[in-house]
Amino acid sequence: MSAAQTGRWKARAAAIAAVLVTLTLPTVTATPASATTTAYDSTYYKNAIGKTGTSLKSSLHTIISSQSKISYDAVWNALKVTDQDPANSANVVLLYSGASRSKSLNGGDVGDWNREHVWAQSHGSFGTSAGPGTDLHHLRACDVQVNSTRGNKDWDTGGSPVSGASGSYTDSNSFEPRNADKGDVARMILYMAVRYEGDDAWADLEPNDSTTNGSVPFHGRLSVLKQWNEQDPPSAFEERRNDVIFNTYQGNRNPFIDHPEWVEAIW
Ligand SMILES: [Ca+2]
Ligand SMILES: [Ca+2]
């Protein structure tokens, strides 16, 4: 072998070694919700694709503000469809516990389920006329007593176990849903922040990092909600729910269920 040939082989061996090192390096960076593509990117989201920050938020606001609104009374029957138990079509799945309960037990008595506003009605005082108070993207079937325990508390970790909602915790000013519902709650809250910007009859709803918001139109804690979005990615239940609201009731989508990475892109 000539000296030139030996040199070429040495160079090739070094190149192969470099590739092997690259292939075996462990991934050490914590990855945020990875970018996704959906069937709606070239249609529903076409004006938002490629944007970030306030430009993305503004574009999504315009897109999702085109919607039908339903009455608070109509929410009962809508939840029987959107929150249907995939394993039992006679039941709904309850938020914060995952319990399956008969659709016919909607009401206000102990043992019934009712309409939980994940963005608490009092944070912006929007009540239950058609608008944020009846927006299915943040309304979920919930046990009556668990709903009462949650009240209008902000979102944060910690506290004592919630009776009737195993895995959920609460203290004097915050509520922590069970792990399987954490991402759902985060994406519902952040949907509300983008949908309601104060340019219609309602307050501009926004997330912040407080747990003492009371009746101001804010919900905390944003830093925790961002973690929950990463920790609990959209499930098949959540995605079906988004589709049913889009196709049957409101004609708008929750962008953060379709693109969970948009949470970090905006906040
Ligand atoms: Ca979930
Ligand atoms: Ca807002």
Side-chain angles (χ1 to χ4, degrees), residues 107-188:
D109 297 329
V110 170
D112 287 345
W113 61 269
N114 63 4
R115 299 161 290 189
E116 155 71 340
H117 291 78
V118 172
W119 186 292
Q121 288 173 58
S122 62
H123 293 228
S125 307
F126 48 72
T128 57
S129 56
T134 68
D135 193 321
L136 292 168
H137 280 299
H138 83 118
L139 289 167
R140 290 282 288 264
C142 181
D143 174 80
V144 165
Q145 289 170 294
V146 173
N147 191 342
S148 173
T149 301
R150 190 268 156 143
N152 69 347
K153 291 170 181 170
D154 287 289
W155 304 104
D156 197 3
T157 52
S160 310
V162 174
S163 175
S166 181
S168 297
Y169 297 86
T170 192
D171 61 18
S172 63
N173 58 17
S174 73
F175 194 95
E176 175 184 354
R178 70 191 183 115
N179 288 342
D181 289 332
K182 283 183 164 71
D184 306 48
V185 164
R187 289 179 284 275
M188 287 189 272

Side-chain angles (χ1 to χ4, degrees), residues 1-17:
M1 194 180 284
S2 71
Q5 276 177 320
T6 305
R8 279 199 293 275
W9 281 111
K10 278 183 178 170
R12 190 171 295 177
I16 290 168

Side-chain angles (χ1 to χ4, degrees), residues 209-231:
D209 226 35
S210 169
T211 54
T212 54
N213 280 307
S215 63
V216 295
F218 305 135
H219 240 309
R221 296 178 56 209
L222 177 59
S223 58
V224 172
L225 294 169
K226 286 169 66 179
Q227 287 169 20
W228 290 355
N229 175 56
E230 310 270 321
Q231 177 183 334

Side-chain angles (χ1 to χ4, degrees), residues 63-148:
I63 292 167
I64 68 178
S65 293
S66 176
Q67 67 159 115
S68 304
K69 293 168 186 162
I70 67 172
S71 72
Y72 197 47
D73 194 51
V75 167
W76 284 124
N77 279 334
L79 288 180
K80 293 177 186 178
V81 180
T82 60
D83 292 17
Q84 179 172 299
D85 183 348
N88 181 350
S89 64
N91 286 10
V92 286
V93 177
L94 306 185
L95 189 65
Y96 311 137
S97 69
S100 180
R101 189 167 297 170
S102 173
K103 289 179 177 177
S104 65
L105 287 173
N106 63 298
D109 297 329
V110 170
D112 287 345
W113 61 269
N114 63 4
R115 299 161 290 189
E116 155 71 340
H117 291 78
V118 172
W119 186 292
Q121 288 173 58
S122 62
H123 293 228
S125 307
F126 48 72
T128 57
S129 56
T134 68
D135 193 321
L136 292 168
H137 280 299
H138 83 118
L139 289 167
R140 290 282 288 264
C142 181
D143 174 80
V144 165
Q145 289 170 294
V146 173
N147 191 342
S148 173

